[in-house]
Amino acid sequence: MNLWLRKLKTEVPFTLKTPAEVARFELENNLPGFCFELCEQPGMGDTYRIESRGTGSYILTGGSTGLLYGAYRLIEDHLTGGSTCAPVSSAPKYSLRMINCWDNADGGIERGYAGRSLFFRNGRLDYSRDRIRTLARLLASAGLNVLCINNVNVHDPAQLLLEDYLPDLAALADLFRPFGVRLMVSVDFSQPMRHGVSTADPLDPAVRAWWKETAARVYAAVPDLAGFLVKADSEGRPGPFTYGRNHADGANMLAEALSPFGGMVVWRCFVYNCRQDWRDTKTDRPKAAWEHYAFLDGKFADNVILQVKHGPFDFQVREPLSPLLLGMKKTKLAMELQLAQEYTGHQIDLYTMIPMWKELYEELPADNIMSLAAVSNLGDDENYTGHPLAAVNLYTYGLLAWDPETDAEEAVTRWCRLTYDFTTEQEQTLVSLLLSSRRTYEKYTAPLGIGWMITPHDHYGPNPSGYEYDLWGTYHKANRNAVGIDRTHAGTGYLDQYPDEIRAKYEDPAVCPDLLLLFYHRLPYDFIMRDGRTLIQRIYDDHFEGLAETRTMAEKLLVLPFPEPDASVIRDRMNRQLYNAREWCDIINTFFHRLSGIPDARGRIIYD
Ligand code: GCW
């Protein structure tokens, strides 16, 4: 049950130590009868070049990891029925292609929908070596190269960085290294205070000394650790604000400690007031990240990367691109995506993300970000991702992190072909269901960019006012006349954080793209949309359509010849999705019908 690796032969022996050795092994075992010459050129790093020497004979050149990526490219091309048209040269767009696991030391996973941790049990690193090797192989075959193994909410900060634990961390890093995957750890900003230092003030010499010693100890055990990931001053986590310092002070202090070892500080920008009073109309949560970071542009050390969630809220089904990703030109940035389906169906509902990621790239200038990170959707379920089809998100994320120009349909088709033995027609059905699944989910959940109508805390299923009077800054303010927040200059001013051309696209409701209409505007239910429908009618129509599409999806999906155990899991989850879609459709429509009193123009059933 090795996801898209299921057609690969023979496990990679634990005795192989370098990516180049793994590359040779994989090629020899999976492409027997072919002839390869491998030329390792350390300076080429992840880059590879494939040249042909006649039919079935290739020269593969690259750094050690480059050889590995080139080997998987050749094998996958072969398994998917294509042949690699040599010569080909390929270099990744992003040097850090990261997965962030939110795994806790007790083995639980925050927002995990695929079982328990693959790394931790009972407070320690405790894992199956075979499963870790498979995971490493999965990541490498998708081109991913950094794995942060613990939750950004570090619940037990004593873990991982202590003398006692470092040999375990080093042993885990050894398992990933032959696959070119470097580990990263999340650290707690107040950690020094648990070790006899009286403060965590980033400008205090004792604090700086503690982090330097700690970094030296950690890098002695794991010399190629990618670095530290930090969630500070966010949702109750400690951070520099306690000491009247800003986030450049905090990040640069850690950067100084890691810099002798080549480590990076990946500092998250998910900072907002999570104790907002719903009566307060001045504070607008999407503005928060910009307010905390934009003025610090250019103030971060060279080995700091600011990791910015792709949207200004929090991984909703549809959000605009975060203004920070456009505005911080003098700072290294990583865009953070979420493979874990926290708000997008818990890996029960089908939700393929690559169409959404491609939309983000439409507004993202080519060189604004230098890394990608994604919250993991992995766990110890036999199939690793809970829903067998959720694996498409991990695989295609890897392709996108290598090359953002990757075509969504090609990427999903490649994944299908590696994973299942379908006829062309069956494959086309699956690919089209996967590609349309996000729009379908979007249609039956919160309407037109509004987000947050989800059941609080657990984040599965509808509850239109669940977050309306809460402290998280997530309000839609639906009343009997209107819904949405005005985020234009005349409203909260959020739109002012963008460059002019983006502002122009969204500021007038008459031209604002429909799917973000209620993110940017507060509009009456009888607002006439460009296609002539009223806003309320559009809401009803989308919800009925989303439910109908889910029913059609079920009909088409459940006749595809998935092998067991995938078939059973897919059937079970599809049935749960059908139930969920109906709940969403009926509850959201009823909610708006009761408020507005406006009937559905097409007379369909809405429950009063
Ligand atoms: O919205 C929140 C999630 C939290 C998560 C947080 C974050 C790790 O609900 O579970 O905490 O985002 O991204 O830090």
Side-chain angles (χ1 to χ4, degrees), residues 102 110-111 153 231 235 268 270 309 314 342-343:
W102 287 354
E110 182 155 349
R111 311 304 178 187
N153 292 327
K231 171 175 179 178
E235 300 187 329
R268 295 176 87 229
F270 183 57
K309 288 193 182 186
D314 185 16
E342 175 178 357
Y343 297 97

Side-chain angles (χ1 to χ4, degrees), residues 19 60 86 98 100 259 324 337 384 403 427 447 470 486 509 520 530 552 587:
L60 176 57
M98 305 184 270
N100 294 176
S259 124
L324 270 191
L337 307 171
Y384 291 87
D403 176 11
E427 180 182 284
D470 219 324
D486 179 359
Y520 281 116
R530 273 165 301 178
T552 309
I587 289 175

Side-chain angles (χ1 to χ4, degrees), residues 191-389:
Q191 208 143 331
M193 297 176 75
R194 293 164 200 269
H195 305 281
V197 183
S198 62
T199 169
D201 181 348
L203 301 190
D204 186 292
V207 173
R208 300 178 91 88
W210 187 87
W211 281 109
K212 282 184 184 165
E213 281 157 29
T214 300
R217 197 168 57 234
V218 173
Y219 275 86
V222 187
D224 58 353
L225 191 82
F228 291 169
L229 175 61
V230 191
K231 171 175 179 178
D233 292 312
S234 166
E235 300 187 329
R237 310 316 297 167
F241 289 166
T242 311
Y243 310 98
R245 314 294 183 199
N246 66 40
H247 278 210
D249 297 329
N252 291 344
M253 178 275 292
L254 290 174
E256 183 185 67
L258 296 191
S259 124
F261 312 101
M264 302 297 292
V265 174
V266 180
W267 187 274
R268 295 176 87 229
C269 296
F270 183 57
V271 178
Y272 68 99
N273 175 7
C274 64
R275 309 212 64 79
Q276 195 180 323
D277 184 335
W278 59 269
R279 299 167 193 85
D280 162 14
T281 51
K282 293 277 171 298
T283 312
D284 184 22
R285 172 166 160 184
K287 291 169 74 179
W290 178 273
E291 288 169 351
H292 286 299
Y293 293 95
F295 74 101
L296 294 173
D297 194 16
K299 302 258 170 7
F300 292 90
D302 263 3
N303 59 331
V304 173
I305 298 174
L306 293 189
Q307 185 166 298
V308 182
K309 288 193 182 186
H310 64 78
F313 259 135
D314 185 16
F315 301 136
Q316 299 304 291
V317 179
R318 185 172 298 269
E319 295 189 35
L321 189 67
S322 166
L324 270 191
L325 292 170
L326 298 170
M328 293 196 75
K329 305 270 189 210
K330 292 180 278 185
T331 303
K332 293 191 172 115
L333 298 176
M335 176 160 71
E336 182 176 326
L337 307 171
Q338 191 186 41
L339 310 180
Q341 289 175 228
E342 175 178 357
Y343 297 97
T344 53
H346 282 204
Q347 285 145 242
I348 297 167
D349 298 30
L350 216 55
Y351 190 94
T352 301
M353 298 176 179
I354 191 164
M356 169 192 151
W357 301 331
K358 296 293 289 179
E359 286 163 14
L360 297 173
Y361 275 96
E362 282 167 21
E363 276 183 357
L364 193 64
D367 292 317
N368 262 40
I369 57 171
M370 54 94 60
S371 303
L372 271 196
V375 179
S376 158
N377 60 355
L378 294 157
D380 74 348
D381 273 5
E382 199 200 344
N383 64 23
Y384 291 87
T385 52
H387 195 313
L389 304 180

